[in-house]
């Protein structure tokens, strides 16, 4: 008998700077209800779902920056989402900016959590592949200050059982790196939940909209197929504070096929009945890691960071 998980991807239109947490949570609640109406039992929300994508702005004052961060989860403002999800028996993935106070000082991460159907946080992931820069870039259409505002995640790429589905998490830029999927794949992941915020233009080089979408999909389709896993990717889309975010939220099968995709520029739910056993054939044959991987030849992947090419021949 196949194992079916009805997965919903809850795409959001832009979250404007002026929107309060309470207003955003009201939108998330509506998306949750829509997902429930499609009989979904697991919902994926975007990266930094509770606020605008604030790393596009330079902040001088720590207090200004901290306004975008959550000190606890759930908080008074986000508790209604947890309560409603529990009432409806729906699990979810939620991305947000996490602020933690430790003996060593304040730490900030770009985080996602996995919440089970009883409203309990069962796993946390802190974004590892932080894009952007730490300095202010004059003349750019926007800043990308994730490297300034967040620490590199310290929890690794893990997997957790949510009912009988083995779920891994990743965030936005992580989807462009094959290592993300392979580390999850080596733990037998069956569904990668992923939230993102991707601008429709690059900061420093021109790229056609066609290529932006191609790259968005191609990395996830390859990651799904090469690891025999489902991927559920939820983004923000449309206008966010005058900046355009790409849509293309989607559900991808372990075959690499896109089985569902959003079409609108606003809040929008898509649902698919994911057969978690669909990846088994791929995991047992084409990408049977145990039988075919040759780790004795992969050492450079963990021992070397950048490219070291041999000297070109003298001409
Ligand atoms: N949020 C996020 O990770 N955005 C990145 C932008 C990369 S540009 C340096 C993305 O992969 O879409």
């Amino acid at each position: 008998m196949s194992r079916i998980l009805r997965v919903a991807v809850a795409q959001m239109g832009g979250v404007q700077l002026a929107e309060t947490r309470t207003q955003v949570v009201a939108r998330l609640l509506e998306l949750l209800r829509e997902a429930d109406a499609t009989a979904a039992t697991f919902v994926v929300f975007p990266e930094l779902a509770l606020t605008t994508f604030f790393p596009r702005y330079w902040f001088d004052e720590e207090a200004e920056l901290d306004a975008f961060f959550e000190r606890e989860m759930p908080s008074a403002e986000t508790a209604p989402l947890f309560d409603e999800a529990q009432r409806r028996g729906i699990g979810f993935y939620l991305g947000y900016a996490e602020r933690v106070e430790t003996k060593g000082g304040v730490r900030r991460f770009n985080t996602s959590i996995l919440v089970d159907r009883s409203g309990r946080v069962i796993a946390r992931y802190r974004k590892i592949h932080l894009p952007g820069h730490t300095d202010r870039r004059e003349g750019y259409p926007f800043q990308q200050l994730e490297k300034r505002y967040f620490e590199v995640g310290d929890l690794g790429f893990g997997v957790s059982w949510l009912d009988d589905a083995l779920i891994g998490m990743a965030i936005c830029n992580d989807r462009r790196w094959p290592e993300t999927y392979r580390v999850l794949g080596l733990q037998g992941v069956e569904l990668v939940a992923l939230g993102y915020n991707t601008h429709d233009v690059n900061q420093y080089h021109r790229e056609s909209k066609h290529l932006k979408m191609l790259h968005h999909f191609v990395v996830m389709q390859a990651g799904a197929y090469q690891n025999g896993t489902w991927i559920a990717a939820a983004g923000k889309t449309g206008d966010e504070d005058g900046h355009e975010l790409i849509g293309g939220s989607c559900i991808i099968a372990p075959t690499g096929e896109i089985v569902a995709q959003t079409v609108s520029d606003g809040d929008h739910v898509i649902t698919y009945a994911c057969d978690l056993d669909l990846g088994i054939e791929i995991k047992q044959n084409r990408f049977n890691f145990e039988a075919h991987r040759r780790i004795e030849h992969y050492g450079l992947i963990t021992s070397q960071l950048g490219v070291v090419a041999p000297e070109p021949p003298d001409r």
Side-chain angles (χ1 to χ4, degrees):
M1 207 177 75
S2 56
R3 293 174 302 137
I4 302 294
L5 181 68
R6 289 190 66 84
V7 176
V9 159
Q11 174 179 274
M12 298 175 78
V15 175
Q16 311 308 324
L17 260 174
E19 273 181 78
T20 64
R21 292 287 199 292
T22 306
Q23 288 170 324
V24 177
V25 170
R27 286 171 62 184
L28 298 180
L29 282 169
E30 186 51 39
L31 287 164
L32 189 78
R33 290 182 196 116
E34 279 180 42
D36 195 19
T38 67
T41 55
F42 181 62
V43 181
V44 180
F45 294 110
E47 173 193 35
L48 300 177
L50 300 171
T51 63
T52 200
F53 184 73
F54 62 89
R56 74 166 73 90
Y57 304 113
W58 179 272
F59 297 108
D60 287 315
E61 301 298 327
E62 210 168 277
E64 274 186 297
L65 178 64
D66 277 343
F68 297 95
F69 282 76
E70 310 303 315
R71 288 170 167 75
E72 52 181 348
M73 188 59 69
S75 59
E77 288 142 322
T78 51
L81 179 67
F82 287 71
D83 295 345
E84 186 73 10
Q86 180 191 8
R87 248 191 315 276
R88 293 172 186 265
I90 296 177
F92 64 91
Y93 161 112
L94 177 73
Y96 67 99
E98 180 192 14
R99 183 185 189 278
V100 250
E101 281 178 30
T102 68
K103 283 199 186 99
V106 173
R107 306 186 71 187
R108 296 181 184 83
F109 298 98
N110 187 342
T111 295
S112 59
I113 45 171
L114 191 60
V115 179
D116 72 10
R117 285 153 59 116
S118 70
R120 200 167 49 99
V121 177
I122 57 168
R124 180 178 307 271
Y125 167 70
R126 292 170 171 162
K127 187 172 179 178
I128 287 175
H129 296 102
L130 296 175
H133 42 89
T134 55
D135 56 327
R136 191 174 191 146
R137 301 279 166 101
E138 302 301 343
Y140 280 21
F142 52 87
Q143 306 295 308
Q144 220 305 357
L145 294 164
E146 289 195 56
K147 277 185 160 58
R148 181 179 183 85
Y149 296 151
F150 303 119
E151 286 182 48
V152 172
D154 58 351
L155 302 176
F157 293 104
V159 294
S160 313
W161 288 105
L162 187 130
D163 297 337
D164 62 348
L166 194 52
I167 298 184
M169 292 187 278
I171 302 180
C172 197
N173 187 39
D174 286 325
R175 74 192 187 288
R176 304 190 191 274
W177 298 87
E179 293 85 353
T180 299
Y181 307 101
R182 185 46 49 94
V183 173
L184 291 171
L186 283 165
Q187 299 168 81
V189 72
E190 294 176 318
L191 171 73
V192 178
L194 183 144
Y196 63 93
N197 285 270
T198 298
H199 289 92
D200 78 333
V201 291
N202 289 333
Q203 280 185 297
Y204 47 86
H205 72 281
R206 196 190 165 277
E207 190 177 28
S208 71
K209 298 210 184 335
H210 158 74
L211 276 182
K212 286 224 70 120
M213 292 312 284
L214 173 70
H215 295 158
H216 163 67
F217 289 125
V218 79
V219 287
M220 293 194 290
Q221 290 181 264
Y225 170 55
Q226 291 170 342
N227 296 280
T229 182
W230 289 89
I231 297 180
K236 292 202 214 114
T237 183
D239 176 83
E240 191 175 76
D241 296 333
H243 297 271
E244 192 73 14
L245 298 172
I246 67 166
S249 302
C250 59
I251 300 174
I252 299 172
T255 52
E257 294 163 289
I258 297 170
V259 295
Q261 189 184 326
T262 53
V263 288
S264 84
D265 247 6
D267 292 6
H268 183 188
V269 170
I270 49 171
T271 299
Y272 195 82
C274 300
D275 178 354
L276 297 169
D277 288 340
L278 202 60
I280 291 177
E281 192 276 328
I282 292 172
K283 286 179 166 112
Q284 287 180 346
N285 294 294
R286 174 74 69 197
F287 293 113
N288 181 332
F289 293 167
E290 187 72 36
H292 304 304
R293 290 181 80 238
R294 293 271 58 104
I295 56 175
E296 67 274 27
H297 294 292
Y298 303 159
L300 283 184
I301 289 177
T302 54
S303 66
Q304 184 177 309
L305 201 55
V307 174
V308 181
E311 290 295 318
D314 288 338
R315 297 202 194 277

